[in-house]
Amino acid sequence: MNVPNTNLPRVVIVGGGFGGLTLAKKLKHQEVQVVLIDRHNYHTFQPLLYQVATAGLEPDSIAYPIRKVFKNRKNFFFRMAEVEHIVTETNTIHTNIGELPYDYLVMATGATTNFFGMEGVERASMPMKSVTEALDLRSMMLQNFEQALLTNDLAERESLMNFVIVGGGPTGVELAGALAELKDHVLPKDYPDLDIRRMNIHLIEAAPRVLAAMSEEASAKALQFLKKLGVSVWLDTAVTHYDGELLHTNQDIEMHARTLIWAAGVQGAPVAGIDVSSMGRGNRILVDEFNKVKGYNNIFALGDVAAMITEATPKGHPMMAQPAIQQGALLAKNLMVMHRGGTPKAFQYNDKGSMATIGRNLAVVDLPKFKFHGFFAWFVWMFIHLVSLVGFRNKLVVMINWAVSYFKFERGVRLIIRPFKRKAEIEEKEPTEHHA
C-alpha cells in the first residue's frame, strides 16, 4: 500500500464517514501515523441524500474529497481501497490493493441496508445509502415519467407514477415530503401532457406511528404534515413481497408500483475477520464503554457499526451521525491515553435532540428541553444541516439551491445522467441475451 514505516504508532481507520473523519481530525496534533481507508475518495453527508434523489441537489453538494479535508497534514495517509478482511493474530488488514500492519485498528464502516432476508424486495426495490444509489433512484423516477408518457395503458401509467416508500423514519418521511413537493410544484411544469394528479405517494411503516424514535408529539405532527401534502400513510403495515410491479403487505393490501424505495432498516457493515462472539444484534460489533471491541485490546469500532450495550442503552446508541461524531472525538483522546498507559474515559452520549423536515415550512424538532414544529423548526433544521456540511463551497452551493427552490418552486437538476436498470430487470434479460 506504499505507506512508510515509522517509529510512530500506526492507527488504521476503516471508513470515512462521520465517526472516522472526526477521529482522524482529532488525532491531528498527536504523535501517531494515521491511515484512513475508504472505498470512496469522498465523505458523504448522508442526511441530504434524499435531496439528491429528488433532484434538489447535485451529489457534489453533499460530498467532499477526503484528501482535501486533510491537505498539508503530516503523518496522514489516505488510501482508496476495499477492505477484504483482517487477521487479528498478526495485526494486519488485507485490502484489494495490498495489506497493512496496524498498531491500533478502528472500524468506522457504518451501516448498510437491511432487507430482513427478503431477496425479492432486495432485487426489485431501491435503497438509498450512498450517492450512487441516490443518483440511480433519481434516474429511475425520471425514466418512469418518460415511460408513462409513451403508454396508453392507464393501469401501466399509474403504476409508473406510483411511488412507495417503506420505512417511516426520518429518511422515509423526508423523502415522502420531497416527492410530494415535486408533485405539486415541479412535475406539472415538466410533464404538462401527463395528469400528475394520478401520481400517488405511499409511505408504509410497520410501527404504530412514523418517526417512532422521536416524541409522540413530533410523530403526530409529522403525520399531519404528510397528509396535508397528500401522502398516503399506512401504519402497522409491513411489506411481505415485491416483484418490481406488485407489492403485498401483511394487511392483505396490494399496490401496483414500479418504484419501491426501501428505507425500512439498516444493519452494521463490519469488516470480516472479527470473532463471531464479538458480534451483536443487527450485525453490529459489540464494544465496551471505551469503544474497544470485546475480546481484543487494540481493535475499536464506532458509529453505526458499533453496539455499546449498557444498562442505559440495552440496544446500543442510535445509528445516527451524532453518536459517531462524539465517539470519534472521545476515542482520539482515549487512544493516546491508553498508548501512554493511562486510564481512558468512558463514553457518555450527549443527546442533542433529533429533527426531521417534511416539506417547505414543515418540520419537527425534539430538543432535550424543547419540542416545536412548523416554520421555526424547518428553519432550525436547515441551519443545522447547512453548518454541518463539510467545506465552504458545499455550504454555499446548498444554501443557494435551497433559496432558489424556496422562492421559485424550482428543482434545477432533473437530469438522467445515466439510465438505470434494477437488478431484477438485468437478471431477466441476461438469459435471453445469453441464449441469443
Side-chain angles (χ1 to χ4, degrees), residues 107-112 114 265-271 274-288 291-294 296 300-310 313-325 327 347 349:
M107 287 175 286
T109 44
T112 186
N114 186 358
V266 293
Q267 60 183 351
V271 176
I274 295 294
D275 191 272
V276 177
S277 63
S278 300
M279 300 300 299
R281 184 180 177 184
N283 215 29
R284 301 174 78 183
I285 302 171
L286 297 173
V287 299
D288 62 17
N291 284 97
K292 185 186 296 183
V293 177
K294 293 190 175 180
Y296 301 93
F300 302 81
L302 53 83
D304 291 354
V305 76
M308 189 180 292
I309 307 298
T310 65
T313 57
K315 295 182 180 179
H317 294 98
M319 299 170 78
M320 301 189 305
Q322 269 304 313
I325 292 170
Q327 288 176 1
F347 177 74
Y349 176 46

Side-chain angles (χ1 to χ4, degrees), residues 34-49:
V34 177
V35 181
L36 178 59
I37 300 173
D38 196 283
R39 69 180 66 184
H40 304 297
N41 70 336
Y42 55 84
H43 164 77
T44 303
F45 190 75
Q46 289 190 336
L48 293 181
L49 275 174

Side-chain angles (χ1 to χ4, degrees), residues 238-355:
V239 172
T240 56
H241 180 72
Y242 178 64
D243 61 5
E245 294 187 7
L246 183 62
L247 175 142
H248 298 268
T249 75
N250 63 338
Q251 302 288 356
D252 295 327
I253 299 169
E254 293 185 354
M255 297 182 189
H256 290 271
R258 294 288 183 88
T259 306
L260 185 146
I261 304 162
W262 190 262
V266 293
Q267 60 183 351
V271 176
I274 295 294
D275 191 272
V276 177
S277 63
S278 300
M279 300 300 299
R281 184 180 177 184
N283 215 29
R284 301 174 78 183
I285 302 171
L286 297 173
V287 299
D288 62 17
E289 62 269 32
F290 311 110
N291 284 97
K292 185 186 296 183
V293 177
K294 293 190 175 180
Y296 301 93
N297 291 321
N298 62 342
I299 302 179
F300 302 81
L302 53 83
D304 291 354
V305 76
M308 189 180 292
I309 307 298
T310 65
E311 289 185 7
T313 57
K315 295 182 180 179
H317 294 98
M319 299 170 78
M320 301 189 305
Q322 269 304 313
I325 292 170
Q326 293 177 30
Q327 288 176 1
L330 180 62
L331 184 55
K333 298 177 182 177
N334 281 345
L335 279 175
M336 303 316 301
V337 169
M338 287 185 283
H339 184 69
R340 299 183 185 113
T343 303
K345 181 181 178 181
F347 177 74
Q348 288 188 335
Y349 176 46
N350 177 19
D351 188 355
K352 297 183 178 180
S354 52
M355 58 186 71

